[in-house]
PDB file of all heavy atoms in Angstrom:
ATOM      1  N   TYR A  38    -253.565 -65.392 203.609  1.00 96.00           N
ATOM      2  CA  TYR A  38    -252.271 -65.165 202.983  1.00 96.00           C
ATOM      3  C   TYR A  38    -252.372 -65.262 201.463  1.00 96.00           C
ATOM      4  O   TYR A  38    -251.693 -64.536 200.740  1.00 96.00           O
ATOM      5  CB  TYR A  38    -251.247 -66.177 203.479  1.00 96.00           C
ATOM      6  CG  TYR A  38    -250.765 -65.906 204.872  1.00 96.00           C
ATOM      7  CD1 TYR A  38    -250.801 -66.879 205.859  1.00 96.00           C
ATOM      8  CD2 TYR A  38    -250.256 -64.655 205.204  1.00 96.00           C
ATOM      9  CE1 TYR A  38    -250.351 -66.616 207.145  1.00 96.00           C
ATOM     10  CE2 TYR A  38    -249.809 -64.384 206.486  1.00 96.00           C
ATOM     11  CZ  TYR A  38    -249.854 -65.369 207.454  1.00 96.00           C
ATOM     12  OH  TYR A  38    -249.410 -65.109 208.716  1.00 96.00           O
ATOM     13  N   GLY A  39    -253.215 -66.165 201.031  1.00 96.00           N
ATOM     14  CA  GLY A  39    -253.399 -66.361 199.597  1.00 96.00           C
ATOM     15  C   GLY A  39    -253.883 -65.100 198.891  1.00 96.00           C
ATOM     16  O   GLY A  39    -253.754 -64.971 197.673  1.00 96.00           O
ATOM     17  N   GLN A  40    -254.472 -64.181 199.660  1.00 96.00           N
ATOM     18  CA  GLN A  40    -254.865 -62.887 199.113  1.00 96.00           C
ATOM     19  C   GLN A  40    -253.758 -61.866 199.321  1.00 96.00           C
ATOM     20  O   GLN A  40    -253.440 -61.077 198.429  1.00 96.00           O
ATOM     21  CB  GLN A  40    -256.106 -62.354 199.854  1.00 96.00           C
ATOM     22  CG  GLN A  40    -257.396 -63.004 199.472  1.00 96.00           C
ATOM     23  CD  GLN A  40    -257.837 -62.626 198.091  1.00 96.00           C
ATOM     24  OE1 GLN A  40    -257.718 -63.428 197.166  1.00 96.00           O
ATOM     25  NE2 GLN A  40    -258.343 -61.435 197.925  1.00 96.00           N
ATOM     26  N   ILE A  41    -253.210 -61.873 200.507  1.00 97.00           N
ATOM     27  CA  ILE A  41    -252.313 -60.789 200.924  1.00 97.00           C
ATOM     28  C   ILE A  41    -251.048 -60.704 200.074  1.00 97.00           C
ATOM     29  O   ILE A  41    -250.734 -59.638 199.517  1.00 97.00           O
ATOM     30  CB  ILE A  41    -251.941 -60.952 202.407  1.00 97.00           C
ATOM     31  CG1 ILE A  41    -253.181 -60.754 203.278  1.00 97.00           C
ATOM     32  CG2 ILE A  41    -250.858 -59.947 202.794  1.00 97.00           C
ATOM     33  CD1 ILE A  41    -253.001 -61.131 204.739  1.00 97.00           C
ATOM     34  N   TYR A  42    -250.328 -61.803 199.942  1.00 97.00           N
ATOM     35  CA  TYR A  42    -249.039 -61.713 199.262  1.00 97.00           C
ATOM     36  C   TYR A  42    -249.164 -61.359 197.780  1.00 97.00           C
ATOM     37  O   TYR A  42    -248.468 -60.459 197.303  1.00 97.00           O
ATOM     38  CB  TYR A  42    -248.225 -62.979 199.500  1.00 97.00           C
ATOM     39  CG  TYR A  42    -247.663 -63.035 200.903  1.00 97.00           C
ATOM     40  CD1 TYR A  42    -248.147 -63.920 201.844  1.00 97.00           C
ATOM     41  CD2 TYR A  42    -246.658 -62.158 201.291  1.00 97.00           C
ATOM     42  CE1 TYR A  42    -247.642 -63.944 203.145  1.00 97.00           C
ATOM     43  CE2 TYR A  42    -246.145 -62.171 202.581  1.00 97.00           C
ATOM     44  CZ  TYR A  42    -246.640 -63.075 203.512  1.00 97.00           C
ATOM     45  OH  TYR A  42    -246.143 -63.090 204.784  1.00 97.00           O
ATOM     46  N   PRO A  43    -250.055 -62.015 197.058  1.00 97.00           N
ATOM     47  CA  PRO A  43    -250.219 -61.584 195.654  1.00 97.00           C
ATOM     48  C   PRO A  43    -250.675 -60.129 195.557  1.00 97.00           C
ATOM     49  O   PRO A  43    -250.209 -59.391 194.683  1.00 97.00           O
ATOM     50  CB  PRO A  43    -251.309 -62.525 195.132  1.00 97.00           C
ATOM     51  CG  PRO A  43    -251.234 -63.730 196.002  1.00 97.00           C
ATOM     52  CD  PRO A  43    -250.850 -63.220 197.353  1.00 97.00           C
ATOM     53  N   ALA A  44    -251.540 -59.706 196.477  1.00 97.00           N
ATOM     54  CA  ALA A  44    -252.012 -58.314 196.440  1.00 97.00           C
ATOM     55  C   ALA A  44    -250.859 -57.347 196.672  1.00 97.00           C
ATOM     56  O   ALA A  44    -250.766 -56.309 195.999  1.00 97.00           O
ATOM     57  CB  ALA A  44    -253.099 -58.097 197.482  1.00 97.00           C
ATOM     58  N   LEU A  45    -249.984 -57.680 197.596  1.00 97.00           N
ATOM     59  CA  LEU A  45    -248.830 -56.818 197.865  1.00 97.00           C
ATOM     60  C   LEU A  45    -247.991 -56.640 196.595  1.00 97.00           C
ATOM     61  O   LEU A  45    -247.567 -55.533 196.269  1.00 97.00           O
ATOM     62  CB  LEU A  45    -247.981 -57.398 198.994  1.00 97.00           C
ATOM     63  CG  LEU A  45    -248.545 -57.218 200.409  1.00 97.00           C
ATOM     64  CD1 LEU A  45    -247.717 -57.980 201.434  1.00 97.00           C
ATOM     65  CD2 LEU A  45    -248.630 -55.741 200.779  1.00 97.00           C
ATOM     66  N   LYS A  46    -247.797 -57.742 195.887  1.00 96.00           N
ATOM     67  CA  LYS A  46    -247.030 -57.666 194.644  1.00 96.00           C
ATOM     68  C   LYS A  46    -247.694 -56.739 193.642  1.00 96.00           C
ATOM     69  O   LYS A  46    -247.048 -55.902 193.024  1.00 96.00           O
ATOM     70  CB  LYS A  46    -246.897 -59.068 194.026  1.00 96.00           C
ATOM     71  CG  LYS A  46    -245.819 -59.912 194.667  1.00 96.00           C
ATOM     72  CD  LYS A  46    -245.400 -61.028 193.720  1.00 96.00           C
ATOM     73  CE  LYS A  46    -244.123 -61.710 194.247  1.00 96.00           C
ATOM     74  NZ  LYS A  46    -243.779 -62.910 193.464  1.00 96.00           N
ATOM     75  N   ARG A  47    -248.994 -56.931 193.474  1.00 96.00           N
ATOM     76  CA  ARG A  47    -249.731 -56.098 192.511  1.00 96.00           C
ATOM     77  C   ARG A  47    -249.682 -54.624 192.902  1.00 96.00           C
ATOM     78  O   ARG A  47    -249.449 -53.758 192.062  1.00 96.00           O
ATOM     79  CB  ARG A  47    -251.204 -56.539 192.437  1.00 96.00           C
ATOM     80  CG  ARG A  47    -251.440 -57.775 191.598  1.00 96.00           C
ATOM     81  CD  ARG A  47    -252.922 -57.889 191.200  1.00 96.00           C
ATOM     82  NE  ARG A  47    -253.833 -57.677 192.322  1.00 96.00           N
ATOM     83  CZ  ARG A  47    -254.214 -58.616 193.183  1.00 96.00           C
ATOM     84  NH1 ARG A  47    -253.772 -59.854 193.053  1.00 96.00           N
ATOM     85  NH2 ARG A  47    -255.043 -58.331 194.164  1.00 96.00           N
ATOM     86  N   LEU A  48    -249.906 -54.362 194.193  1.00 97.00           N
ATOM     87  CA  LEU A  48    -249.921 -52.971 194.659  1.00 97.00           C
ATOM     88  C   LEU A  48    -248.548 -52.332 194.480  1.00 97.00           C
ATOM     89  O   LEU A  48    -248.442 -51.150 194.167  1.00 97.00           O
ATOM     90  CB  LEU A  48    -250.345 -52.921 196.137  1.00 97.00           C
ATOM     91  CG  LEU A  48    -251.802 -53.303 196.412  1.00 97.00           C
ATOM     92  CD1 LEU A  48    -252.048 -53.452 197.909  1.00 97.00           C
ATOM     93  CD2 LEU A  48    -252.742 -52.259 195.826  1.00 97.00           C
ATOM     94  N   ASP A  49    -247.525 -53.151 194.682  1.00 96.00           N
ATOM     95  CA  ASP A  49    -246.161 -52.651 194.528  1.00 96.00           C
ATOM     96  C   ASP A  49    -245.916 -52.252 193.072  1.00 96.00           C
ATOM     97  O   ASP A  49    -245.494 -51.132 192.785  1.00 96.00           O
ATOM     98  CB  ASP A  49    -245.172 -53.733 194.974  1.00 96.00           C
ATOM     99  CG  ASP A  49    -243.755 -53.187 195.081  1.00 96.00           C
ATOM    100  OD1 ASP A  49    -243.564 -51.978 194.876  1.00 96.00           O
ATOM    101  OD2 ASP A  49    -242.837 -53.978 195.362  1.00 96.00           O
TER     102      ASP A  49
END
Side-chain angles (χ1 to χ4, degrees):
Chain A
Y38 285 127
Q40 284 289 105
I41 294 170
Y42 286 109
L45 284 173
K46 280 201 169 172
R47 281 198 313 275
L48 292 170
D49 191 3

